[in-house]
Every structure is written in C-alpha cells, then in structure tokens.
Amino acid sequence: MKRKTRLVMTSSEKTFEDNLPKWMWLWLPIILVLILLVTGLVLPGQVYSDWIGNERTGILETSHAIIPAISFLLALRIIFHPKVPTFSFLWFWILLAALGSFYMSGEEASWGQHWFQWDTSDEWSKINDQGETNFHNTSSWLDQKPRTILEIGIILGGIILPFIFLRKPSLRNHPYAIIVPTLVLLPTAIIAETTRMTERLFAALDVPFRFFQRASEVQELFFALFVLYYLIMILKRVKRLN
C-alpha cells in the first residue's frame, strides 16, 4: 500500500531561511529598488521611459512577463511533484498560483502583442481602453481587483503571518502551515508596499515629488518577485516531505 504523503514539517525542517540564499531574498531586492530609485531620480524622464518604463518594451514591463512565466513553470513542477497529492489543499493552492502567474505573464505582454506588434481588432479595441489584446484593460475585475487581492495576500503572508508564526512556533505543526512563508520574504514584501505607499502619501499631501517614476510598475516587479520566491520556498519544502 502506498504511504500517504505527510504535509506537516518537523521542527528540524523549519529553518528560518528555508534554504533561500541570502543574496536572493535580501540583497537582490535591495539592489533592485536602489537601482530603480537612482535611475528614476537621475535619468531624464524620456530616457527612463524609453529604456525602463516603456509600456511595451521597457525593462520593467518585460520583467513583469518573464518573472511570472518562471513562476508558472515552478508552480507546474510543484503540482506534478510525486510528493504533492493530487487534489490536496496544497495542490489546489499551487494550481491557483500557477493560473495567476500564467495570467500575469500573458497580460503584461498582451499575450505577445508587445513583442510581435500585431494590430488589435476593431471589435476588441472598442472594449479595451488601451487598444491592446489583453483582458485587464477591459474591466477592473480583471485588473485592479486581482491586484488588490494579491497585495492583501502579500501583506498577510509576507508580513503579518510570519511574525505570528515566529511568536507561536507551535503553529508550524498545522497541516496548512506548509504554505505560510517565513520572514525571508519580508524584505520583498516591505519594498513592494513602500514603493507605492510613498506615492500615495505624496499624492494625498499634494506634493509633486515622487521617489519612483511609475511606482505602480515598480511595485508590480516586487509582486512578481515575491510570488517567485514564495514558489521556490514551497518547492524546497515539498522536496523535504516524507
């Protein structure tokens, strides 16, 4: 008889870093945000727009498509891992991450239109407010609301829950604890929130200064990084399951 996979990790398996290298979870997010901060403040607006912030071919926009594509492949690897029972809570959770990553990757590139430059049909242009072949420009239910859900998830899973689990280690014995990240995702989560938070604060105070050019795009980069790091962490945990 096949032994049932155990989805609860022992104390020895619950390391703070979950084997993510420090350069990845700490230094890379810090370096990236500093580069975007400095280039946004120093480079002329047109230069920044052409090379980094361009809506179609800029470095930021391209990263929004490539990083989720990698996350999608990672999620598939977890879903089909022999230690992940089909239709288990973990299987459904990662399936959701896979679908979300696939959607984000495709939408950010307008399903290839940004790279291959095909024309949008007249019928689709009528319902797409930017005349592109994507869904997120047709309704807030396909754009802002999924983004808000992801942002809440990052605040909850990347900031709040890790501190709760740190104070109450016994919670790690819960079967669902395998999907709760540790504090290694905290830097990425905080950067994701503060980049947009500063823009909202300055806007509320009617201050024209901005730390970042197109802060929402900067935030999306760290949203994508958070999901990528999260899935790497889950894959490492799955491999340690008995």
Side-chain angles (χ1 to χ4, degrees):
M1 182 179 293
K2 185 178 180 181
R3 186 160 61 94
K4 186 177 181 181
T5 300
R6 176 178 56 83
L7 295 180
V8 180
M9 295 180 293
T10 64
S11 298
S12 63
E13 294 169 329
K14 302 161 191 169
T15 59
F16 174 76
E17 296 182 354
D18 263 9
N19 296 322
L20 291 184
K22 195 171 184 178
W23 68 263
M24 178 185 290
W25 65 264
L26 179 61
W27 298 119
L28 182 58
I30 292 175
I31 290 171
L32 285 175
V33 76
L34 288 177
I35 290 174
L36 291 169
L37 175 64
V38 172
T39 54
L41 293 174
V42 173
L43 290 180
Q46 190 59 47
V47 174
Y48 183 93
S49 177
D50 289 344
W51 290 95
I52 299 177
N54 187 281
E55 181 69 24
R56 292 179 176 267
T57 58
I59 294 173
L60 272 179
E61 194 73 20
T62 302
S63 71
H64 297 165
I66 293 176
I67 295 175
I70 298 172
S71 296
F72 172 68
L73 296 177
L74 271 175
L76 289 183
R77 187 176 177 187
I78 298 171
I79 289 171
F80 292 109
H81 196 283
K83 292 183 179 180
V84 177
T86 304
F87 303 124
S88 64
F89 81 91
L90 180 59
W91 189 89
F92 278 111
W93 181 252
I94 301 303
L95 177 63
L96 182 62
L99 293 174
S101 297
F102 181 76
Y103 179 78
M104 182 177 181
S105 179
E107 284 292 293
E108 289 298 329
S110 288
W111 303 99
Q113 185 182 32
H114 288 180
W115 299 331
F116 300 106
Q117 301 293 310
W118 64 67
D119 294 329
T120 306
S121 67
D122 293 338
E123 293 77 11
W124 193 255
S125 294
K126 293 176 183 178
I127 61 174
N128 188 289
D129 58 21
Q130 292 189 17
E132 298 176 329
T133 53
N134 55 46
F135 297 101
H136 70 274
N137 289 325
T138 63
S139 168
S140 65
W141 286 97
L142 299 174
D143 183 15
Q144 295 303 319
K145 290 179 175 59
R147 181 191 178 108
T148 299
I149 292 172
L150 176 59
E151 185 168 7
I152 292 172
I154 289 175
I155 294 172
L156 182 64
I159 300 175
I160 297 176
L161 283 179
F163 277 111
I164 293 176
F165 275 58
L166 187 65
R167 291 179 61 87
K168 296 184 177 182
S170 62
L171 290 174
R172 282 288 173 190
N173 295 320
H174 193 283
Y176 290 180
I178 191 172
I179 69 171
V180 178
T182 59
L183 285 170
V184 295
L185 296 188
L186 184 65
T188 305
I190 289 179
I191 291 172
E193 290 309 311
T194 54
T195 52
R196 190 71 186 277
M197 190 182 301
T198 56
E199 183 180 69
R200 292 166 177 164
L201 178 61
F202 286 142
L205 297 175
D206 200 23
V207 177
F209 176 78
R210 297 290 184 271
F211 282 117
F212 299 95
Q213 294 193 37
R214 302 192 67 189
S216 62
E217 301 298 319
V218 175
Q219 185 183 48
E220 284 184 22
L221 168 62
F222 289 95
F223 281 176
L225 273 181
F226 183 94
V227 174
L228 176 63
Y229 290 171
Y230 177 74
L231 290 171
I232 293 174
M233 181 179 293
I234 295 296
L235 179 59
K236 288 180 177 292
R237 290 178 178 179
V238 165
K239 289 180 177 179
R240 296 203 303 270
L241 291 173
N242 292 328

